[in-house]
Amino acid sequence: MGNKRTGNGQAQSVPAATDPAAVRNVVLVGPSGSGKTTLVERLLATTSTISRRGSVTEGSTVCDHETAAVEQQRSVGMAVAPLWHRETKINLVDTPGYADFIGELRAGLRAADAALFVVAATEEVDSATRTIWQECDRVGMPRAVVISRMDQPRADATAAIESCVAAFGSGVVPLYLPRYHGGSPTELFGLLTGSSYDYSQGSTPIVRASAEPPDESARAGRDRLLEGIIAGSEDETLLERYLGGENIEEATLIGDLEAAVARGGLQPVIPVSAETGIGMTELLDGIVRAFPSPLEHVLPEFTDPHGGNPRRLECDPSGPLAAEVVHTSVDAYVGRVSVLRVFSGTLSPDRPAHVSGHGLAERGHPDHDSAERIGHIHSPLGAGLREVPYCVAGDLCALTKLASAETGDTVSDPKDPLLLQPWDMPDPLLPMAVTGHGDDDALARNLNRLLAADPTLRLDRSTETHQMVLWCMGEAHAEVILQRLRENGVDVDTEPVRVAFRQTFRGPAKGHGRYVKQSGGHGQYAVCDIEVEPLERGAGFEFADRIVGGAVPKQFIASVEKGVRAQLERGIEPECPIVDLRVTLVDGKTHSVDSSDAAFQAAGALALKSAAERAGLLTLEPVDEVEVHIPDDHLGAVLGDLSSRRGRVIGTEPEDTGWTVVRAHVPSTELTRYAINVRSLSSGSASFSRSFAGYEPLPR
């Protein structure tokens, strides 16, 4: 993203929104291939924001500007595309539809005040889209549905609407119905306006007023729509007027439509075709008239940077500054670019700012607070940056050169620093070991940049396997991360992820350690005898002494323990520590001159090795507790797969209707690619989490 990549002829400087009431922040949600990016492109062209529509297949769209997106012909990151319609600024937030990029979708949901679900007329609603709908429902986000790709040969808008009603609920009601001529959609009938919008002559509709719906299905659809609007209205007389057969004014219905959508009781459906332009004006009008402004968005809770003094803010341009970094990228020309949602106050150029980031330390994002200075403020248009004089509460903008800002950070006034807790992010569950072929500094530097931009990434530097492991959301996510590293000049490769094993004693044993060295002058002398017994799993290490008569002086007892502990960490076999033991020092010998701390450490290590030879070692493998959320239709396949992975099911229980939660203990070595496998088994609908459960004997 940068100034040099403006493309499509857009201007370098654009006006800024002055009033939150004239802003709409809309996130586009839907499966990959539903046409979200193409829809955004058509809307930009319809409003003359760009002079020419780009193409996903040609890699020339505003939103899919990253190399990986162009090559894969699908979105891999969140992108903002603002446009103006009827003196209202609409910030369209395009998000990936592929499950691996759920973090980008969550960022889009955080930045927006309403969600536009895009469902192709050639497909039914998939389970992943249902899950996102339920997530929006839980947080009360207003929603609408766009039926896209009506121009396709297999398109059936009526069936798609029915699929949406079945998947999303009875609140889904068409606002327009398509009409066909010669087998192709050429017209929309407005159930609320009673007008016909004829696109047979081009992308600008010919509007014809019509008092009555043309057929029975349209009349039934209008009744459902009016009943939904009236149910969400605060005007108690509307129902009486409707039941009395009175013709309610369109202006009244439109006002109550916005109220019903804002409260979440009604989700209007608009059929469109981005290729032919059908429905574009109606969609833009629907966003302006039916979707709430940022003034109606209940803001998240803010605290001070230490988590104290919780407070609620209003979407007020004159209030205290509070903004959040919802997306971060690195541009070849201008460096780090941070996209912000301003919740309160007004962001102005050339002013100091406080940047706070807390709550993601376990993912490799240490807590941080820093002082920054805001330079130029931009309105992002895909990869382009267009300068604006300010950014008011409720609007989105982009800042460059915020050196410490990471995705999820809060930007506020240094005199009144604030912190907004980061949004919920799913755990990355696909490990990928990376190596930099000698240039570890360049690899580490670029990995830190990626971690700052992507909260769904986690980096582990294993001291046991000596690997650098990136945890990703899935295979597609991992491929994009590798491509970004290589584009930045890092010679990076992957290797199999190694799992750290442990060992313990098969049974009790005695060990004898004798360390004697004479090389002229002061020598080394230490002898010790120990008894070793294995403990239960997870008990750790215990050390005791039963020395009598001063066979080993007190100052050297600690030396024996230190030597034993060091040998346990090293293991008898390389990179395989020994765990869950009780070691008891029972006897030993010393020399008045040659005994030393170092000598007894060495003797303790030798005694442990001696005992291990006698008892034999049992190799332990790490085991995770896995929790899989799975539709009942795929339950059998998942249970069978867990069994093939040596998993032990410890419980199943019903979740929501048609869903089951499966809990199982599974060896970590069997879970390396489970994020990919469980998605394949469930047609992309299942999710899972894992946590360390302990160590169990490795089968012979």
Side-chain angles (χ1 to χ4, degrees), residues 278-480:
I278 293 178
M280 293 301 111
T281 301
E282 290 70 41
L283 176 56
L284 290 167
D285 285 344
I287 290 173
V288 171
R289 294 176 178 177
F291 273 171
S293 75
L295 294 172
E296 299 166 79
H297 185 112
V298 178
L299 301 189
E301 187 176 78
F302 288 85
T303 66
D304 62 34
H306 304 291
N309 302 317
R311 59 199 281 197
R312 289 284 182 182
L313 300 178
E314 300 293 330
C315 182
D316 181 2
S318 61
L321 177 62
E324 184 177 31
V325 179
V326 294
H327 184 71
T328 307
S329 61
V330 178
D331 183 82
Y333 302 109
V334 297
R336 185 175 296 193
V337 180
S338 304
V339 177
L340 278 70
R341 162 72 188 256
V342 180
F343 288 105
S344 172
T346 298
L347 199 62
S348 303
D350 196 28
R351 63 175 287 181
H354 181 88
V355 176
S356 290
H358 295 258
L360 292 173
E362 74 281 358
R363 296 198 179 204
H365 304 259
D367 293 350
H368 55 275
D369 292 276
S370 61
E372 296 276 2
R373 190 164 194 86
I374 297 171
H376 296 289
I377 301 174
H378 305 273
S379 175
L381 179 57
L385 296 179
R386 306 163 305 160
E387 192 169 346
V388 291
Y390 49 79
C391 185
V392 299
D395 203 359
L396 304 180
C397 66
L399 301 179
T400 59
K401 301 177 182 178
L402 285 183
S404 63
E406 302 181 357
T407 299
D409 282 3
T410 306
V411 178
S412 57
D413 192 319
K415 297 178 182 178
D416 186 15
L418 296 170
L419 176 68
L420 182 61
Q421 290 300 311
W423 58 89
D424 290 336
M425 284 291 177
D427 290 326
L429 295 167
L430 179 67
M432 175 177 64
V434 294
T435 176
H437 291 295
D439 195 352
D440 291 337
D441 289 341
L443 177 60
R445 186 167 58 252
N446 281 279
L447 283 176
N448 287 334
R449 289 176 182 170
L450 293 176
L451 289 169
D454 190 348
T456 62
L457 271 181
R458 191 179 83 232
L459 177 63
D460 287 342
R461 294 179 173 88
S462 175
T463 58
E464 296 180 355
T465 64
H466 307 292
Q467 285 186 310
M468 194 176 293
V469 179
L470 268 179
W471 289 82
C472 306
M473 296 302 300
E475 203 164 29
H477 188 209
E479 289 174 2
V480 169

Side-chain angles (χ1 to χ4, degrees), residues 641-691:
D641 181 69
L642 287 172
S643 177
S644 71
R645 296 173 186 276
R646 298 188 286 125
R648 186 175 72 254
V649 175
I650 58 176
T652 62
E653 59 186 67
E655 196 176 21
D656 298 326
T657 303
W659 287 73
T660 297
V661 179
V662 178
R663 294 180 177 85
H665 282 175
V666 186
S668 300
T669 53
E670 301 287 348
L671 293 173
T672 303
R673 295 180 61 82
Y674 191 62
I676 300 169
N677 301 127
V678 74
R679 189 177 296 164
S680 174
L681 287 169
S682 63
S683 302
S685 58
S687 63
F688 82 103
S689 60
R690 60 188 284 185
S691 58

Side-chain angles (χ1 to χ4, degrees), residues 108-193:
L109 293 173
R110 183 73 155 208
D113 303 306
L116 197 63
F117 280 72
V118 182
V119 178
T122 55
E123 305 289 343
E124 292 187 347
V125 178
D126 64 7
S127 56
T129 305
R130 287 192 189 95
T131 301
I132 299 168
W133 182 277
Q134 293 165 359
E135 184 175 331
C136 290
D137 190 48
R138 282 194 294 270
V139 300
M141 174 168 277
R143 284 145 286 157
V145 178
V146 166
I147 304 299
S148 65
R149 300 191 182 281
M150 281 207 308
D151 55 289
Q152 297 296 307
R154 296 187 298 107
D156 187 339
T158 302
I161 293 172
E162 292 174 353
S163 173
C164 290
V165 173
F168 301 147
S170 58
V172 175
V173 181
L175 197 57
Y176 298 87
L177 289 178
R179 296 180 66 80
Y180 294 81
H181 296 281
S184 300
T186 58
E187 187 179 337
L188 293 180
F189 177 77
L191 295 175
L192 184 60
T193 64

